[in-house]
Amino acid sequence: MGRKRVVVAGLGDVGILAAMRLAKHFDVVGISVKPGLVSGQEVGVRLARPRDWARDYWISFDRFRRLDRVRIIQGALTGMDLAEQTVAGQGGDGNPFVEGYDALVISTGVTNGFWRRPTLQSAAEVAASLRADHERLASAASVIVVGGGAAAVTSAVNLATTWADKRVDLYFPGDRALADYHPRIWQRISRRLAELGVGLHPGHRAALVDGFSGDEITSGGVDWSSGQPASSADAVLWAIGRVRPNTEWLPRELLDDGGFVRVTPELRAPGHPAVFAAGDVAATDPLRSSARNRGDALVARNVHAALTGRRLHSYRAPGRRWGSVLGIQPDGLEVFLPTGQAFRIPSWPVERVVMPLIVRRGMYGGVREGAPPV
């Protein structure tokens, strides 16, 4: 009897780590629309310093040593047969494919703005997109960032840090941004924004026309449903949290009302013991926090347990978001704790210890050298 087969649908931040862990014990097939890890993290660094971002967050699959045992299909998923335990899709070459599984891990993530879209892309197309977004903002004398979450805040900080002569304004709907984080974190970062000259505009909720997704950088005016006069800028960056799960290919019975994959505390689909989900696509809690709290490790552990007759473990969601909000900065990396306290790692250990040893060697198990992708 051959080894069990596990299909990992989606090789983003969570899926790639889960696939690496599972490949130690099973035949693993990974399916991705991208030609490598194209992370949804640190959008601010991606826009302002794309070469720095690509070094750490865009890595072709062949550079990951632990993916050598994973068969990777670049293609878009189009359907699933729960009874037959198969998934179907269309490859980048236009040919259809069908893959059977003994266990399926759904980690296809979400669409959330122009930087996280489930489009089938070549490496050249990923590079062109990175350059185009950067150049669009580099050429703008003024930028409006709309949104109150981490993506909006990190974008405002990184744009203002990179281009000190650019007018950057941050508009958000509440009294403060980063509402899902401890209040102390916003207090600290708002001071940083003020020091950088970023205009802060609380209480502004954008008036959006039907069908507007915010998936493109626009220009011109922004109207406010909260009653303020319209604002305008050369570039408008939308980070409004219109998150849409990439689950169109899944049967409706697996999904909740928002289209996210329903899961038990063990990250397993109720009533379907061979199906698991983790990351932003999994309805674990209101913050879908298994994307940021080692959900990859738990889902891999539970898939292994399910296929070998062992006990599964439960996921416990944190009460608040925490971690790095702004990404790696010229002076190092600031990490926020759930209590709102922060500690800074200077740039030298970030560059010499954290990224090469802890992340690339420890977390990913070794990353081969490669040419800069942009």
Side-chain angles (χ1 to χ4, degrees):
M1 188 172 179
R3 297 206 328 163
K4 300 284 188 181
R5 176 183 290 184
V6 179
V7 171
V8 179
L11 294 177
D13 296 301
V14 171
I16 193 171
L17 289 168
M20 289 176 177
R21 293 174 179 274
L22 289 163
K24 298 175 184 178
H25 310 285
F26 309 106
D27 289 334
V28 176
V29 179
I31 303 172
S32 172
V33 293
K34 308 300 183 187
L37 173 65
V38 182
S39 176
Q41 298 184 59
E42 313 298 3
V43 62
V45 178
R46 171 177 172 153
L47 292 170
R49 306 193 310 276
R51 288 183 66 86
D52 291 346
W53 180 86
R55 180 191 59 223
D56 298 323
Y57 296 104
W58 177 24
I59 304 172
S60 61
F61 291 134
D62 60 356
R63 292 179 57 199
F64 291 102
R65 297 184 187 278
R66 285 184 180 170
L67 287 184
D68 289 348
R69 293 173 289 188
V70 177
R71 180 163 62 89
I72 296 175
I73 299 171
Q74 187 179 1
L77 289 157
T78 57
M80 176 185 185
D81 189 319
L82 281 166
E84 294 297 323
Q85 295 193 177
T86 60
V87 297
Q90 186 172 31
D93 56 5
N95 294 320
F97 63 85
V98 176
E99 291 291 331
Y101 61 83
D102 293 294
L104 172 68
V105 177
I106 302 168
S107 52
T108 43
V110 298
T111 296
N112 181 20
F114 59 89
W115 66 96
R116 298 179 75 183
R117 289 183 287 189
T119 50
L120 194 63
Q121 289 181 304
S122 67
E125 289 169 332
V126 173
S129 176
L130 285 174
R131 286 194 300 268
D133 291 337
H134 171 74
E135 291 168 3
R136 174 74 184 277
L137 293 168
S139 64
S142 59
V143 179
I144 285 175
V145 182
V146 185
V153 171
T154 185
S155 296
V157 167
N158 280 281
L159 294 177
T161 300
T162 299
W163 294 294
D165 58 342
K166 197 182 301 294
R167 194 191 87 211
V168 179
D169 289 275
L170 175 64
Y171 292 82
F172 47 95
D175 294 332
R176 65 179 179 93
L178 301 179
D180 293 331
Y181 293 77
H182 195 284
R184 289 198 197 103
I185 298 176
W186 171 241
Q187 292 171 8
R188 186 179 181 94
I189 292 180
S190 64
R191 291 195 295 270
R192 175 77 174 273
L193 286 161
E195 292 169 357
L196 290 168
V198 174
L200 299 179
H201 306 272
H204 283 67
R205 185 175 296 278
L208 306 176
V209 299
D210 291 342
F212 179 76
S213 63
D215 289 351
E216 302 288 345
I217 299 173
T218 62
S219 60
V222 180
D223 294 322
W224 308 108
S225 64
S226 41
Q228 298 89 349
S231 307
S232 63
D234 296 332
V236 180
L237 195 162
W238 300 89
I240 52 179
R242 287 204 161 184
V243 174
R244 304 183 300 282
N246 300 323
T247 54
E248 297 87 352
W249 59 283
L250 289 171
R252 182 64 205 168
E253 64 188 277
L254 292 180
L255 310 178
D256 67 9
D257 292 340
F260 297 91
V261 180
R262 294 185 297 115
V263 290
T264 66
E266 295 76 28
L267 304 182
R268 202 178 206 177
H272 300 281
V275 179
F276 295 77
D280 284 315
V281 77
T284 51
D285 60 283
L287 299 179
R288 299 183 305 281
S289 58
S290 68
R292 290 160 294 276
N293 294 276
R294 303 316 309 271
D296 57 279
L298 181 63
V299 76
R301 181 178 183 178
N302 281 350
V303 168
H304 183 270
L307 293 178
T308 56
R310 300 179 183 178
R311 183 173 69 88
L312 277 65
H313 294 260
S314 297
Y315 175 72
R316 294 183 180 180
R320 293 184 185 272
R321 288 188 173 178
W322 64 284
S324 169
V325 176
L326 305 180
I328 299 173
Q329 298 296 298
D331 60 353
L333 179 66
E334 190 169 44
V335 179
F336 295 94
L337 302 176
T339 58
Q341 297 168 312
F343 64 91
R344 178 177 296 280
I345 306 173
S347 57
W348 187 90
V350 170
E351 295 171 0
R352 304 292 181 87
V353 179
V354 174
M355 297 310 296
L357 300 181
I358 298 176
V359 176
R360 295 191 192 101
R361 184 179 298 179
M363 182 182 298
Y364 290 122
V367 178
R368 300 180 178 96
E369 294 297 323
V374 292

